[in-house]
Amino acid sequence: MGKEVNGVSRSRFEMFSNSDEAVINKKLPKELLLRIFSFLDVVTLCRCAQVSRSWNVLALDGSNWQRIDLFDFQRDIEGRVVENISKRCGGFLRKLSLRGCLGVGDSALRTFSQNCRNIELLSLNGCTKITDTTCTSLSKFCPKLKHLDLASCTSITNLSLKALSEGCPLLEQLNISWCDQVTKDGIQALVRCCPGLKGLFLKGCTQLEDEALKYIGAHCPELVTLNLQTCSQITDEGLITICRGCHRLQSLCVSGCANITDAILNALGQNCPRLRILEVARCSQLTDVGFTTLARNCHELEKMDLEECVQITDSTLIQLSIHCPRLQVLSLSHCELITDDGIRHLGSGPCAHDRLEVIELDNCPLITDASLEHLKTCHSLDRIELYDCQQITRAGIKRLRTHLPNIKVHAYFAPVTPPPSVGGSRQRFCRCCILL
């Protein structure tokens, strides 16, 4: 075939050099054209492939197809398209997203696994035809796999996790959210053979109990991100094991896990000083005492979702304003004990002037226009949520906007009386809610 240049043989270059008279092909070496094509997206490459025979060879060369994301291109593809892609790309392909491709099933992914053995990142999020057979294929042929997204692939069971543990030891990130057939047995098999796991997304895996978390805590010292949203059976016992075994934890979501208490916040404060993101929405047993310990020990916190943590008061905001200078996003929706005084402390804290970007105060009935005055010096504030804050007025919002003209304010105001009819003819649109 002749000497190869970036995976394309010299003879293939020469095959079109005399017959293609386009100026660009005469001026630029084929090696340079190939390099240019390597920066193009899927759609543009396909268009270039239709220009001429020489461009077809270059545009469809496997070296240009190392990263493919079909989500913004075409989601109604059939399995044969994936098979053709795998044959075209072969060992070049490193990253492939088939997110939302409902027509892709196990057969196509078996062919893909056989042809693309260097794949490192694969997203099958929402590919609902996928079963354990696909994970068996990946285990057999794709030992370099590091990131795998199987969210909403509801046919996945423990067999998939056992297969991945046997054939994909380099796995760093796994998303099996809403795969509600997975139990502690699958988690145990996975973590024992994949010690490098850094991200586990288990949202909606409703069968998981504390025993599964104990396996994670014992075998995943590199864990950085853990999502357990709506895993309603877990308690303090399992999460404390996570905190003690995963000191590098930076992001934890346990929203909807109603059984947890301040013991978790204490454990996080004592063991996870790098924590940046904490989501504990609807965890109604958490109190100011736990958040005080957390704030005093986790100074790198950037995002906190405390929606419906109904027991917290201004005391929590005082501690956050003192000890968490990097805070950027804070949700206090339905925290009905929060008052203007808590917002005053937050607005005068070290995070306020340069960091705070979003604050959500929906359904905080004690909040008044005074809170908006306390926030007017928060120059980074991009968005504020004020739905159902009955004491907030349009005038207060207008004053805030004179200081922060680009801020997005989301609120509504219900009129005291129904809108009047004019001239006996009733208006056909509702004025009960005026959206700002």
Side-chain angles (χ1 to χ4, degrees):
M1 289 292 291
K3 182 180 179 181
E4 288 197 355
V5 180
N6 290 332
V8 179
S9 67
R10 176 72 69 177
S11 61
R12 291 170 68 187
F13 284 157
E14 294 171 347
M15 181 170 59
F16 302 115
S17 60
N18 296 324
S19 60
D20 200 322
E21 298 299 323
V23 175
I24 191 172
N25 292 335
K26 291 181 177 180
K27 296 290 185 182
L28 295 181
K30 296 299 185 289
E31 296 91 341
L32 183 55
L33 279 172
L34 183 65
R35 177 64 173 163
I36 293 171
F37 287 169
S38 71
F39 293 98
L40 302 181
D41 58 33
V42 172
V43 178
T44 309
L45 278 172
C46 290
R47 288 172 178 165
C48 289
Q50 300 176 44
V51 170
S52 67
R53 293 177 64 199
S54 59
W55 276 33
N56 181 276
V57 171
L58 295 174
L60 297 183
D61 186 79
S63 63
N64 292 324
W65 297 74
Q66 297 182 42
R67 300 172 181 84
I68 303 175
D69 187 345
L70 296 179
F71 187 74
D72 295 323
F73 177 47
Q74 184 176 355
R75 273 169 275 175
D76 57 347
I77 66 171
E78 298 176 0
R80 60 181 178 82
V81 175
V82 176
E83 294 178 6
N84 291 338
I85 287 175
S86 71
K87 292 172 183 176
R88 168 66 63 180
C89 300
F92 285 107
L93 191 62
R94 297 292 188 275
K95 300 179 180 180
L96 174 65
S97 176
L98 298 174
R99 181 165 54 115
C101 294
L102 303 178
V104 177
D106 293 328
S107 177
L109 284 163
R110 177 175 176 82
T111 301
F112 164 82
S113 301
Q114 292 172 326
N115 291 326
C116 302
R117 302 191 181 204
N118 291 320
I119 192 74
E120 296 176 3
L121 184 152
L122 178 62
S123 175
L124 302 173
N125 189 317
C127 298
T128 51
K129 289 185 177 180
I130 298 302
T131 74
D132 294 328
T133 301
T134 285
C135 289
T136 301
S137 299
L138 293 172
S139 172
K140 186 174 182 181
F141 300 110
C142 303
K144 296 182 180 180
L145 191 63
K146 293 181 179 179
H147 291 202
L148 179 61
D149 189 347
L150 297 169
S152 300
C153 298
T154 53
S155 296
I156 293 298
T157 73
N158 291 336
L159 293 176
S160 285
L161 302 192
K162 291 175 181 177
L164 292 171
S165 71
E166 294 168 359
C168 304
L170 302 181
L171 204 61
E172 294 180 1
Q173 184 166 297
L174 178 65
N175 188 345
I176 51 171
S177 296
W178 310 113
C179 298
D180 55 7
Q181 297 188 61
V182 170
T183 70
K184 61 181 177 61
D185 294 333
I187 298 297
Q188 180 184 21
L190 177 75
V191 299
R192 282 185 170 175
C193 297
C194 298
L197 278 169
K198 296 179 180 178
L200 266 177
F201 299 84
L202 308 174
K203 179 179 179 180
C205 293
T206 52
Q207 292 198 57
L208 296 185
E209 302 171 330
D210 289 334
E211 199 69 24
L213 304 194
K214 291 178 181 178
Y215 294 133
I216 296 172
H219 297 283
C220 298
E222 304 294 319
L223 196 66
V224 173
T225 302
L226 179 62
N227 190 319
L228 297 165
Q229 182 175 335
T230 66
C231 295
S232 54
Q233 297 191 61
I234 66 174
T235 71
D236 293 342
E237 184 180 0
L239 282 170
I240 289 173
T241 306
I242 294 284
C243 296
R244 290 175 177 171
C246 307
H247 299 291
R248 299 187 180 186
L249 196 65
Q250 295 182 21
S251 177
L252 176 65
C253 176
V254 286
S255 294
C257 300
N259 295 321
I260 67 173
T261 72
D262 285 343
I264 296 309
L265 302 181
N266 294 332
L268 285 168
Q270 294 167 8
N271 298 281
C272 304
R274 301 182 187 181
L275 193 67
R276 294 189 299 108
I277 300 173
L278 179 63
E279 300 178 31
V280 287
R282 303 183 302 284
C283 297
S284 57
Q285 297 189 59
L286 303 181
T287 73
D288 293 330
V289 176
F291 284 111
T292 296
T293 301
L294 181 78
R296 289 178 176 176
N297 292 278
C298 297
H299 306 304
E300 298 184 18
L301 279 165
E302 297 176 0
K303 177 183 177 181
M304 298 185 71
D305 185 354
L306 311 183
E307 181 175 349
E308 292 188 42
C309 292
V310 294
Q311 295 194 55
I312 66 171
T313 70
D314 293 338
S315 177
T316 288
L317 299 193
I318 293 171
Q319 296 301 319
L320 292 176
S321 68
I322 296 172
H323 300 290
C324 300
R326 300 186 180 184
L327 198 60
Q328 297 176 19
V329 179
L330 179 62
S331 176
L332 299 167
S333 300
H334 293 273
C335 296
E336 298 185 357
L337 302 179
I338 297 297
T339 74
D340 295 332
D341 192 55
I343 302 301
R344 177 176 65 83
H345 281 89
L346 190 68
S348 61
C351 71
H353 299 293
D354 302 318
R355 298 277 186 167
L356 194 62
E357 298 176 0
V358 176
I359 184 166
E360 299 178 357
L361 297 168
D362 302 328
N363 295 92
C364 292
L366 303 180
I367 294 298
T368 73
D369 286 348
S371 285
L372 305 187
E373 290 294 317
H374 299 319
L375 294 172
K376 66 185 182 183
T377 58
C378 300
H379 302 298
S380 296
L381 199 60
D382 177 67
R383 176 168 60 87
I384 184 169
E385 304 284 338
L386 297 167
Y387 289 111
D388 218 23
C389 293
Q390 299 295 327
Q391 299 192 66
I392 295 291
T393 69
R394 291 185 180 87
I397 293 173
K398 186 176 181 180
R399 286 193 296 271
L400 177 66
R401 281 192 166 135
T402 62
H403 296 276
L404 303 172
N406 297 319
I407 191 172
K408 302 178 185 70
V409 182
H410 298 151
Y412 71 77
F413 300 92
V416 177
T417 58
S421 299
V422 180
S425 61
R426 180 170 297 178
Q427 295 181 350
R428 296 183 179 273
F429 58 90
C430 175
R431 282 170 45 189
C432 291
C433 297
I434 301 175
L435 201 63
L436 295 180

